[in-house]
Structures are given as C-alpha cells and as structure tokens.
C-alpha cells in the first residue's frame, strides 16, 4: 500500500494515506487508539474528530481551526485545512482569487492579501509556505472544467491540493471513489452518439411496448429498499468468507478474509430483521485504512455467535489504484463491475452536484462487454447493449418544471450518464435508502410531468466491445 501513498505529495501530517498506514502499524503493535463506531462515528481524516462534528472532514484540522472568510476573521464553519485557493477571502473559489493572487505577487505592498486570504491562497500542498506563481497556475487549471460550487474546498482534490479533498469529488470515509480518470468519473457530455444508438434504444422499448421510463430503484420509507454500504473503521477484525455450495463462484472471487463488521447491513434487511431470506443480499464495505472496496453477493451470516459470511461471490478493488477484474469474473454485478461507484447517494443530491456515472439495469444484455465491464451477457442478439455501455440523457432535454433536486439528477445524466451494470427492469437506477428521497422519488417515479423517458437517452460511443460468438455487430 505504501506505493499508493507517494502519489500524494506534501508532509506526512497532511498525507492521509501515510497517516492511515502509520495508524495500521500502531494497531498491529497493540497501541491504544480512540474508539470508533461502525455506524455513526467515522473519522475520515483520523484527527480524532468524528465526521459529524468535523469542520473539515477529509483533511486533519487540529483544534478545528476556523479563521473565517468574507474578508473577516469570523468563523464560517469551514475548517482552515479545507480552505485552499481563496486568496480573496470571500467564500467561493473563483477567477477573483486568481486575480488577487497575481496582483499580490506582482506588488505585495500595493496589493496585500487579507490575513485570511494569505492563509488560504496556497493550493499545491506546501502549506504553510507562502503562495507562489505555482498556486496561480493550479488555480487556473482548477477553474477551467466548470464553475465551482460555493465553498472553498471545491478547488481542492488530490491533483490540485493534496492537503484537502474536493467537495465535488466522489468519496466515502475519506477515500476517493476511484481516480478522476476512471470511466465511472468520466464526463461524457462531449463524446459522440453511437452510430447504432437508435437501434439499441428501440430494442429495449420493444420489450415494454414503449413505456420505459427512468426509475429510482430505492426508497424513502422502506429501509430494505436500496443498496446499503458502510465504512469499516481502523481496527475492524478480518472475517472469513465461505461460499454457497449451490451458487459457488469462488473460482471467480477474491477470497478474503475481509475487514467487515459482523453486523454489516445486508441488502434487503431491516433493523428489526437484518438477515433477509432471499434477494441479492449484497454487502458493500470500504476499508478506511487501505481504501479497499469489498462487495459480497447472496450474503448470509454464519456461526453462532456470528463469525463470518457465506456468499456466492466476493470482489475487491483498491479505490486509489483499481485493477480491473480478470476477464469473465463475476462480481456482485453480472457485468463484473463494482456497485458503489455508481450508487446515487443522498448527500450528493443534497449538496447540488453528482460527479460520476450512475449504475443502471436493463432487461437484456448482449453476449459482449465494453470497458469498464469485463463479462459477457447471455443474449446472442446484437440489438441489445453489452455490459459497460454508457447511456446519456440528451442535452436538449428540458429541465423546466423540475425541482432543484431533480435538476441535479438530470444534469448528472447529461454530463456523466449511466453505465449498464446488471440485468433487471430497464432504466432502474441504483441508490441508497433515505427518508429525504421521498419528494424526488414521487416526482421522477410517479408524476407524468416528472417522468424521464428512456427514449430521451442516447448510447454514447465509448469504444469497441469484445463480442462473443454469433454477435459480430454487438457494438
């Protein structure tokens, strides 16, 4: 794991990867550490302040230092360690910060920065050194892709500011969900429409007589309706994995053991009935120390008392430096793809921005796959899509009349689209359960005005597929 840490420059105190390795060493040595709760007290930056109370969740901020903004030194609720790039000290990171820093570097006496701006202007990981022309160059690059959302941390990510984590970068438990270059995080708004897009869309419409609409496949009142995930905090014991005799994919699985709490939420379970008797029964866990993602399918707890899990398949990816699964290997998805990177999570919509593709089911899969998938479907019909295909909502689709949260979803579908990951009802998007979903679900799933027809999506050309026998024109 050490080799993954060196890609993050800066002092060890500002390098989460190095700190977590040191923490793991401390745990192995039996040193005492602050207690961590599996469900509510995750400490992403390991600064002893749990995420719910931390004013800078993904960067250690000793003492919760908060010197404020808006050209004052009044606390603004954002920790100083998360405030990088705000040379003008006015809140959002914009071109005004580039101008302020340029003027200050050219004439420090005539164009001084405020005390707050001088403390926040560095972005390239050398804090607390003085700002330089390098910070100007990085700020310009950070502002190029799209307007930044409000909040100083918006300018910070591993490639821009190693001491911070971006407010817009998909992450859980302090681990970025795959590199920015990964297909799941790729902006496909400028990619061409596939030459056979109309054929593919028509083939799925024919299955349901043209009544297909996008469907949010998660709930607000049913805790078992949705795909849960959890963060395994430091010190989580390794648990053994065994395989169901009837559905044994151990030869296509990463064998474990894995650091997963024995009381981990299983898809389909509820607080009062945590052990569902049927269904996909998936478990998703992120190891906060190594940033390994583990996904189990058909999960059953074993032992009395519980001591492990029996599953059909188990798959592991390192979120910092993922390696594709071997060709043909299954995961908790039929495509061999991970689930977590494509889940729609409540906090993303609440903050007003989704920065990754979403995971979608379709009713048929051709005997083919296209990256990032790695496994064939079963239908020798070249009008069905291969696993891994990307669908994008048309830029012309009107946002008029939609709620603010629905617009967040629509814009993500136009920018990142959906990746075909598994078989199921066509157009079903995966997500987590949350009571706050109720209005959006009612709007998109229920009302005629809010429903989004699948006919408004195009298939994007993301490259050639690998085709199985008798599907020569699969993609």
């Amino acid at each position: 794991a050490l080799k993954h840490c060196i890609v993050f420059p800066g002092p060890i105190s500002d390098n989460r990867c190095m700190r977590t390795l040191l923490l793991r060493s401390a745990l192995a040595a039996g040193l005492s550490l602050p207690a961590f709760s599996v469900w509510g007290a995750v400490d992403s930056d390991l600064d002893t302040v749990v995420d719910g109370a931390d004013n800078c969740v993904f960067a250690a901020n000793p003492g919760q230092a908060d010197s404020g903004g808006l050209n004052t030194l009044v606390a603004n609720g954002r920790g100083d360690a998360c405030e990088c790039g705000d040379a003008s000290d006015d809140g959002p990171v914009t071109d005004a910060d580039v101008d302020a820093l340029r003027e200050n570097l050219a004439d420090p006496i005539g164009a001084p920065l405020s005390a707050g701006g001088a403390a926040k202007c560095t972005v390239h990981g050398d804090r607390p050194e003085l700002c330089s022309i390098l910070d100007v160059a990085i700020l310009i690059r950070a502002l190029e892709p799209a307007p930044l959302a409000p909040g100083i941390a918006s300018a910070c990510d591993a490639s821009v500011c190693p001491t911070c984590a971006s407010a817009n970068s998909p992450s859980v438990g302090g681990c970025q969900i795959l590199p920015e270059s990964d297909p799941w995080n790729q902006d496909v708004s400028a990619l061409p429409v596939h030459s056979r897009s109309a054929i593919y869309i028509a083939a799925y419409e024919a299955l349901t007589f043209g009544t297909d609409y996008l469907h949010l496949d998660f709930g607000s009142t049913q805790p078992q309706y949705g795909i849960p995930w959890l963060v395994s905090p430091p010190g989580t014991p390794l648990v053994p994995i065994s395989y169901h005799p009837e559905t044994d994919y151990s030869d296509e699985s990463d064998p474990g053991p894995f650091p997963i709490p024995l009381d981990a939420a299983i898809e389909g379970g509820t607080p009062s009935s945590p052990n569902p008797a049927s269904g996909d029964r998936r478990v998703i866990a992120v190891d906060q120390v190594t940033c390994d993602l583990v996904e189990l399918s058909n999960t059953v707890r074993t032992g009395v008392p519980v001591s492990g899990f029996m599953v059909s398949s188990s798959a592991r990816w390192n979120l910092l430096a993922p390696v594709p699964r071997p060709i043909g290997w299954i995961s908790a998805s039929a495509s061999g793809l991970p689930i977590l990177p494509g889940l729609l999570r409540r906090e993303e919509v609440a903050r007003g921005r989704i920065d990754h593709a979403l995971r979608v089911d379709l009713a048929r899969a051709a005997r083919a796959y296209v990256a990032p998938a790695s496994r064939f479907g079963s239908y020798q019909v070249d009008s069905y899509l291969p696993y891994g295909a990307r669908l994008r909502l048309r830029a012309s689709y009107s946002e008029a009349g939609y709620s603010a949260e629905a617009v967040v979803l629509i814009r993500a579908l136009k920018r990142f689209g959906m990746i075909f990951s598994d078989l199921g009802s066509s157009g079903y998007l995966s997500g987590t359960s949350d009571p706050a979903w109720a209005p959006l679900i009612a709007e998109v799933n229920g009302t005629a005005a809010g429903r989004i027809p699948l006919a408004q999506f195009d298939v994007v050309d993301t490259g050639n597929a690998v085709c199985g026998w008798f599907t020569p024109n699969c993609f």
Side-chain angles (χ1 to χ4, degrees):
L2 178 62
K3 66 182 180 181
H4 301 315
C5 295
I6 62 176
V7 303
F8 299 99
I12 288 179
S13 61
D14 285 340
N15 189 324
R16 181 192 175 279
C17 189
M18 288 297 295
R19 293 200 315 275
T20 52
L21 283 180
L22 292 174
L23 176 60
R24 189 166 63 170
S25 298
L27 289 169
L31 300 180
S32 61
L33 294 165
F36 290 85
S37 165
V38 171
W39 295 107
V42 172
D43 179 15
S44 294
D45 55 12
L46 304 176
D47 63 357
T48 74
V49 181
V50 298
D51 287 3
D54 201 337
N55 66 8
C56 183
V57 173
F58 300 121
N61 192 33
Q64 297 292 280
D66 180 4
S67 61
L70 297 175
N71 296 305
T72 73
L73 296 181
V74 177
N76 61 6
R78 290 186 297 271
D80 290 345
C82 277
E83 295 190 324
C84 73
D86 186 27
S88 62
D89 195 26
D90 63 354
V93 178
T94 67
D95 290 332
D97 299 293
V98 176
D99 295 339
L101 187 48
R102 276 177 163 164
E103 293 170 5
N104 174 257
L105 292 172
D107 184 7
I109 304 296
L113 298 177
S114 68
K120 303 166 188 172
C121 58
T122 184
V123 294
H124 73 285
D126 62 355
R127 186 181 286 114
E129 299 298 326
L130 296 177
C131 293
S132 68
I133 194 66
L134 179 58
D135 296 290
V136 173
I138 293 175
L139 271 176
I140 291 173
R141 185 183 67 185
L143 289 164
E144 281 178 352
L148 293 174
I152 309 257
S154 300
C156 308
D157 60 25
S159 64
V160 174
C161 179
T163 62
C164 314
S166 170
N168 294 327
S169 178
S171 63
V172 296
C175 297
Q176 183 170 345
I177 304 180
L178 305 176
E180 291 183 16
S181 59
D182 192 90
W184 282 104
N185 299 330
Q186 179 186 9
D187 184 332
V188 297
S189 58
L191 290 185
V193 174
H194 197 283
S195 61
R196 302 179 73 234
S197 175
I199 295 174
Y200 296 125
I201 298 300
Y204 290 101
E205 285 191 318
L207 295 173
T208 55
F209 305 100
T211 59
D212 276 352
Y213 294 90
L214 193 70
H215 182 90
L216 304 184
D217 193 25
F218 42 87
S220 59
T221 59
Q222 299 170 276
Q224 73 275 21
Y225 186 34
I227 302 179
W229 59 271
L230 60 89
V231 174
S232 298
T236 302
L238 296 174
V239 297
I241 302 295
S242 58
Y243 297 88
H244 292 286
E246 302 85 3
T247 54
D248 181 355
Y249 287 93
S250 58
D251 59 337
E252 298 179 16
S253 294
D254 299 303
F258 302 118
I260 302 176
L262 292 170
D263 63 349
I266 298 175
E267 180 186 12
T270 67
S272 60
S273 182
N275 301 308
S278 60
D280 292 325
R281 295 189 291 193
R282 289 171 286 208
V283 168
I284 299 176
V286 174
D287 182 347
Q288 194 173 21
V289 174
T290 65
C291 290
D292 279 349
L293 165 64
V294 175
E295 298 186 350
L296 313 176
S297 69
N298 198 19
T299 308
V300 174
R301 303 180 216 274
T302 59
V304 181
V306 176
S307 58
F309 298 105
M310 180 178 290
V311 303
S312 289
S313 69
S314 53
R316 176 173 52 192
W317 298 263
N318 184 269
L319 294 174
L320 301 179
V323 175
R325 290 182 65 68
I327 300 302
W329 280 27
I330 200 170
S331 64
S333 294
S335 60
L337 288 169
I339 292 172
L340 181 64
L343 283 184
L344 184 60
R345 293 178 285 122
R346 177 62 202 169
E347 60 268 25
E348 298 175 308
V349 174
R351 77 180 183 196
R353 180 161 171 160
I354 302 165
D355 284 286
H356 60 86
L358 298 173
R359 178 182 186 273
V360 70
D361 291 352
L362 294 174
R364 300 284 191 274
R367 186 168 175 75
Y369 63 86
V370 63
S374 58
R375 195 166 181 268
F376 286 150
S378 57
Y379 286 84
Q380 295 172 347
V381 179
D382 62 11
S383 57
Y384 295 146
L385 284 170
Y387 284 131
R390 184 84 66 118
L391 295 96
R392 180 185 65 206
L393 185 61
R394 291 173 180 165
S396 60
Y397 188 77
S398 176
E399 300 170 5
Y402 282 98
S403 68
E405 290 195 349
V407 169
V408 171
L409 172 62
I410 288 170
R411 291 180 179 176
L413 293 170
K414 291 179 177 181
R415 184 180 174 200
F416 295 96
M418 313 182 294
I419 296 180
F420 177 22
S421 298
D422 218 337
L423 290 181
S425 297
S426 288
Y428 274 46
L429 286 182
S430 300
T432 56
S433 293
D434 193 298
W437 282 130
L440 184 62
I441 291 174
E443 181 178 8
V444 175
N445 289 3
T447 64
R451 300 182 79 181
I452 303 172
L454 292 186
Q456 291 296 318
F457 285 81
D458 292 315
V459 177
V460 177
D461 191 344
T462 55
N464 294 329
V466 177
C467 307
W469 296 111
F470 308 114
T471 51
N473 300 311
C474 63
F475 198 64

